[in-house]
């Protein structure tokens, strides 16, 4: 039996073991981190082709390390569609599963790695 650390146990419980997917009704979209701005803000290139200013919320600030080139799930703000905040950071295995499912095009991942 495999023993998971507390961090991984909690992560699995939060999402029921499934990868969170973007939902336009909830205002979430998949983006790739292009650049850190400092002060817990970053610039991300989203699947719809728009560059957005994204905020890292306090609950993720010290728990999840977000670097340039990472793929994240972003919740868009209601009052400004050009801004949002990080909802979830996808791991490398999860990104591969998203590409297999057809949620994220392979070209997006390749273009993201070229921007960095």
């Amino acid at each position: 039996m495999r023993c998971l650390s507390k961090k991984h146990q909690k992560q699995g419980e939060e999402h029921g073991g499934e990868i969170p997917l973007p939902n336009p009704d909830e205002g979430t979209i998949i983006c790739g981190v292009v650049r850190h701005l400092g002060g817990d803000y970053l610039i991300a290139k989203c699947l719809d082709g728009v560059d957005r200013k994204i905020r890292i919320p306090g609950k993720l600030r010290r728990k999840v390390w977000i670097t340039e080139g990472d793929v994240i799930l972003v919740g868009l703000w209601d009052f400004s569609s050009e801004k949002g905040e990080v909802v979830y950071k996808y791991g490398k295995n999860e990104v591969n599963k998203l590409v297999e499912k057809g949620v994220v095009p392979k070209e997006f991942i390749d273009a993201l790695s070229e921007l960095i």
Side-chain angles (χ1 to χ4, degrees), residues 39-42 53-58 61 77 84-87:
D40 300 317
Y41 283 90
L42 45 97
K53 186 175 181 182
I54 308 298
R55 185 177 75 92
I56 303 171
R61 209 168 279 158
W77 290 351
E85 65 182 20
V86 177
V87 175

Side-chain angles (χ1 to χ4, degrees), residues 13 18 22 33 45 66 80 87 97 114:
E13 290 171 6
E18 292 184 20
V33 178
K45 181 78 143 174
I66 299 175
S80 176
V87 175
K97 288 179 184 177
E114 289 176 11

Side-chain angles (χ1 to χ4, degrees), residues 8-23:
H8 290 106
Q9 287 175 353
K10 186 175 181 182
Q11 187 177 21
E13 290 171 6
E14 287 177 6
H15 301 290
E18 292 184 20
I19 301 172
L21 298 174
N23 186 347

Side-chain angles (χ1 to χ4, degrees), residues 30 47 71 95 98-109:
I30 293 181
L47 277 178
V71 178
V95 171
L98 290 173
V99 170
E100 288 175 11
K101 289 181 180 181
V103 177
V104 178
K106 179 71 174 154
E107 294 80 26
F108 178 76
I109 304 300

Side-chain angles (χ1 to χ4, degrees), residues 26-108:
E26 294 176 0
T28 57
I29 190 168
I30 293 181
C31 302
V33 178
V34 176
R35 187 177 53 164
H36 271 279
L37 297 177
D40 300 317
Y41 283 90
L42 45 97
I43 297 291
K45 181 78 143 174
C46 297
L47 277 178
D48 59 0
V50 179
D51 288 347
R52 290 187 168 92
K53 186 175 181 182
I54 308 298
R55 185 177 75 92
I56 303 171
K59 68 179 184 179
L60 294 178
R61 209 168 279 158
R62 291 175 188 88
K63 295 179 183 176
V64 178
W65 200 257
I66 299 175
T67 59
E68 295 175 355
D70 286 340
V71 178
I72 55 177
L73 182 66
V74 172
L76 300 177
W77 290 351
D78 294 334
F79 54 88
S80 176
S81 64
E82 297 190 6
K83 294 183 180 182
E85 65 182 20
V86 177
V87 175
Y88 185 77
K89 176 191 168 191
Y90 294 107
K92 296 216 182 274
N93 292 337
E94 293 171 328
V95 171
N96 292 336
K97 288 179 184 177
L98 290 173
V99 170
E100 288 175 11
K101 289 181 180 181
V103 177
V104 178
K106 179 71 174 154
E107 294 80 26
F108 178 76

